[in-house]
């Protein structure tokens, strides 16, 4: 009989709460806020400040993941795309401030350029290739994607990644990515 008392609609009212205390929280002791308490103003957990989160918040990879979910934005003033344009600008700014992040890889071993090419995103490819830090740009531009194996046949040059969508509905974007790569003054494939 007592196993499911909480299912009774009167369980929480009347039985454990005395009527004189209803609505009066003056008896509740004050307590200091914990690190894990939610900050009501921002909705963020306070423990995120000063932790790994604050580092990630300024990195370009999380911003790139958000931008990849948006459609490419040609005109930042186009109705309905202002938020996407702001996310793209945020990504570009973070990348310009920390261009060494270009050389970081995701869990599959792709750098940002590889991912942008695989997703047929000329806007992101252009943002990467126009960075002022030419050393990091050159490094990712000439670094092939290392597929699952250890042999040379598992190394996929960026130019091949750009062509990966040429026979799909993304053909135009793929060819724009290819053109951006070909415009670079660097040898894209080692023969």
């Amino acid at each position: 009989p007592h196993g499911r008392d909480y299912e009774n609609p009167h369980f929480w009212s009347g039985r454990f709460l005395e009527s004189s205390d209803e609505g009066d929280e003056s008896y509740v002791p004050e307590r200091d806020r914990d690190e894990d308490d939610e900050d009501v103003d921002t909705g963020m957990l306070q423990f995120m400040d000063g932790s790994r989160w604050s580092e990630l918040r300024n990195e370009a990879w999380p911003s790139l993941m958000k931008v990849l979910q948006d459609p490419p934005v040609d005109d930042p003033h186009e109705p309905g795309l202002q938020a996407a344009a702001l996310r793209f600008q945020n990504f570009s700014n973070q990348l310009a401030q920390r261009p060494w992040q270009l050389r970081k890889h995701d869990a599959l071993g792709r750098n940002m350029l590889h991912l942008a090419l695989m997703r047929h995103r000329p806007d992101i490819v252009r943002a990467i290739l126009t960075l002022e830090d030419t050393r990091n740009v050159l490094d990712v531009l000439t670094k092939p994607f290392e597929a699952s194996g250890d042999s040379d046949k598992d190394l996929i040059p960026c130019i091949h990644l750009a062509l990966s969508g040429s026979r799909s509905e993304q053909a135009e974007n793929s060819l724009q990515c290819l053109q951006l790569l070909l415009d670079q003054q660097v040898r894209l494939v080692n023969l």
Side-chain angles (χ1 to χ4, degrees):
H2 297 293
R4 295 184 168 219
D5 282 343
Y6 61 87
E7 290 180 351
N8 181 339
H10 302 291
F11 178 75
W12 296 110
S13 59
R15 194 161 128 184
F16 289 99
L17 296 176
E18 295 189 21
S19 61
S20 64
D21 289 336
E22 280 185 34
D24 180 15
E25 295 188 18
S26 62
Y27 63 90
V28 177
E30 292 269 335
R31 71 177 184 87
D32 293 331
R33 290 176 58 108
D34 243 4
E35 286 183 3
D36 294 338
D37 282 350
E38 190 169 331
D39 182 348
V40 177
D41 294 334
T42 62
M44 298 296 292
L45 296 176
Q46 285 186 346
F47 78 92
M48 289 182 169
D49 290 333
S51 69
R52 177 88 175 114
W53 171 252
S54 61
E55 294 171 24
L56 284 176
R57 173 172 33 189
N58 295 319
E59 288 192 12
W61 267 103
S63 295
L64 175 62
M65 293 298 127
K66 291 177 185 173
V67 168
L68 286 171
Q69 294 173 11
D70 294 329
V73 179
D74 296 324
D75 178 11
H77 303 293
E78 188 174 334
L81 293 179
Q82 289 91 357
L86 286 174
R87 284 188 288 273
F88 184 82
Q89 188 61 49
N90 185 41
F91 162 71
S92 296
N93 291 341
Q94 289 173 337
L95 195 54
Q97 292 170 1
R98 295 171 186 81
W100 52 267
Q101 291 183 35
L102 277 176
R103 297 162 79 158
K104 288 180 127 185
H105 294 89
D106 66 6
L108 298 176
R110 302 172 295 190
N111 62 39
M112 290 183 187
L113 181 60
H114 295 155
L115 191 54
L117 292 168
M118 289 174 171
R119 297 283 184 95
H120 324 294
R121 292 293 299 266
D123 55 338
I124 299 171
V125 172
R126 186 178 301 105
I128 291 171
L129 296 178
T130 58
L131 284 173
E132 291 181 12
D133 187 330
T134 56
R135 185 177 55 90
N136 281 312
V137 172
L138 186 61
D139 183 57
V140 297
L141 188 59
T142 58
K143 176 103 171 125
F145 170 59
E146 296 179 24
S148 60
D150 294 330
S151 70
D152 287 343
K153 69 178 180 176
D154 296 319
L155 300 177
I156 304 169
C158 288
I159 196 165
H160 292 189
L161 295 175
L163 288 169
S164 65
S166 62
R167 302 191 96 200
S168 70
E169 66 266 358
Q170 297 292 329
E172 183 179 342
N173 288 340
S174 248
L175 293 175
Q176 285 179 23
C177 289
L178 175 64
Q179 188 61 54
L180 288 166
L181 293 177
L182 292 174
D183 289 344
Q184 303 305 303
Q185 302 297 317
V186 65
R187 194 162 132 200
L188 297 171
V189 180
N190 292 327
L191 299 175

